[in-house]
Amino acid sequence: MKTSLRWPPSRFAVIILAIALAGLLLRVVFIFTIAPSSVSGDAYYYHHGANLLANGEGYIDPYRYNFGNKDNVTLANGEVVEVITPVGHSEPTAGHPPVYVTYLAAFSFIGLDSVRAHQLASAVLGAGSIILAGYLGRYWRNKNIGYIAAILTAVYANIWINDGLVLSETAAIFFAFLTSLVGLHFWRNPTRANAAWLGFVAAFAALSRAELVLFLPIVVIVVMWRSSLSWKERFIRTAIAGLIGLLTVAPWIIRNNIALEEFVTLSDGSGTVLVQANCYETYYGEKIGFWHLECGNPMPYGPNGELLDESQRDVIVRERAMEYISGNTQRLVTVVVPARIARMWGVYAPIWQIRTDIVEGRPGFAAWLGFWQYVVLAPAAIAGAVITWRRKQPVLVIGLWAVLATFTAATAFGITRYRTAAEVSVVMFAAITIEALWQWWKRREANETVTAEAVTTSS
């Protein structure tokens, strides 16, 4: 990859920048018209968590800090007591990886700490994804693919909706594009330096969404397996990528294991996800393959009513989830996992899923627009993957995000948001198909012109 700057910028750079600015304008219009002006759920965590971080409170749970908590708790001796957690309670959290909160906190630190400011900050990051999509397309195939990929990233609602909702998917998409670009460069030129860069960038993808951590080992192992390098060099370059990646995530992991009681790596939310996704309602009811909030109740406390820290609670609810899974394994494998995957890919109860997304905070217009755009882009993406494979061009570094999203849904639950990283695969492969159709149309017109000229000449 060329990293040198040139002036005046190339025609390609000017066009990609213009597409990015148009995409930014679209996001700003969305923010000031139909995007919510308040936050809830995960967005509340990111927005208020960023403000608390900027105020010097560290990475703490914003829900307990702002609201406190009150529960009736059954003690070990059977007595029921009321346990009150006061407002202002500072509890370390690793509920989500830190990149997005840290990004927003940088704006909060300079006074841009409102919901609207964080929406606009996310839109800027979204515009960065448009630029990365363009350069990834050009490096992967050609300039036309770059233009098409940038346009799709700019207008595809399932990508830009996250910016206005203040969700970490904005950061995940940005780093998925960047990691694919660096990964493609490593695929074509697996030097030690490129291995280090891939390890560094892929670590930020993992620090955006924890499940993206699998990209690095899979790509490095496949590239090194295909390489003609000596086994010694393969091992060295694999070790470099792994070591740099580990060193990049190490500060967060070290902090987690100092601040929390149980061992934690990138996040400690797996137990909460599992307990809400593995219960009667999600195995046999209307929510098959989805999640149900009440399945996580009651919240665990210590035997004497003491407040357990986040990591301790996560261990307890994970054990509760595993107990349910062990008693319903056949149902999980034959019904629930397929339903989860099908939900995430929009082929099982898609209308119900869209309506649920709207209830959970997605503006209706954007949610439906994203769905119908996806209906068009998904088949194009499948065709693009086939075209790329038949051309013997790299498929893994672009398509792996779809595999990881499928794995996430299978092990957690199916929801549109979990497809977010896979949208990178969707727009890139769809761009291949669109460009192939365009080239076919040009050849067809050229052939018709030649035929018409031949007929005229013979006449």
Side-chain angles (χ1 to χ4, degrees), residues 112-141:
L112 302 175
D113 57 359
S114 66
V115 171
R116 192 69 78 202
H118 284 174
Q119 289 173 320
L120 293 173
S122 298
V124 171
L125 195 59
S129 295
I130 299 170
I131 294 172
L132 289 173
Y135 278 91
L136 174 59
R138 185 183 73 165
Y139 188 63
W140 186 32
R141 184 70 182 166

Side-chain angles (χ1 to χ4, degrees), residues 26-227:
L26 173 63
R27 285 154 170 78
V28 171
V29 170
F30 168 64
I31 289 168
F32 281 98
T33 54
I34 60 177
S37 58
S38 60
V39 288
S40 60
D42 285 349
Y44 188 95
Y45 176 99
Y46 298 124
H47 169 65
H48 289 281
N51 287 340
L52 289 169
L53 178 61
N55 290 335
E57 299 290 342
Y59 297 93
I60 65 172
D61 183 345
Y63 306 108
R64 290 185 180 277
Y65 186 89
N66 290 334
F67 299 117
N69 195 59
K70 182 170 66 174
D71 271 320
N72 291 323
V73 179
T74 303
L75 305 182
N77 61 8
E79 181 184 358
V80 177
V81 298
E82 185 179 68
V83 177
I84 297 176
T85 304
V87 172
H89 175 74
S90 181
E91 179 179 314
T93 181
H96 298 278
V99 159
Y100 187 57
V101 166
T102 306
Y103 173 76
L104 295 180
F107 290 87
S108 298
F109 187 76
I110 59 175
L112 302 175
D113 57 359
S114 66
V115 171
R116 192 69 78 202
H118 284 174
Q119 289 173 320
L120 293 173
S122 298
V124 171
L125 195 59
S129 295
I130 299 170
I131 294 172
L132 289 173
Y135 278 91
L136 174 59
R138 185 183 73 165
Y139 188 63
W140 186 32
R141 184 70 182 166
N142 56 48
K143 291 181 180 179
N144 289 335
I145 298 296
Y147 296 141
I148 297 168
I151 292 171
L152 292 179
T153 304
V155 303
Y156 186 25
N158 282 334
I159 289 180
W160 53 254
I161 194 173
N162 300 292
D163 305 346
L165 299 183
V166 194
L167 293 173
S168 66
E169 279 74 11
T170 292
I173 289 171
F174 178 89
F175 283 106
F177 274 122
L178 182 59
T179 304
S180 282
L181 182 58
V182 177
L184 183 60
H185 192 50
F186 177 71
W187 185 284
R188 292 174 172 169
N189 188 21
T191 63
R192 293 183 180 184
N194 289 339
W197 277 113
L198 179 57
F200 178 70
V201 172
F204 276 90
L207 290 169
S208 301
R209 284 197 67 90
E211 66 270 17
L212 304 187
V213 72
L214 296 174
F215 184 94
L216 178 63
I218 292 174
V219 168
V220 171
I221 289 171
V222 171
V223 170
M224 289 296 97
W225 179 262
R226 296 173 65 255
S227 174

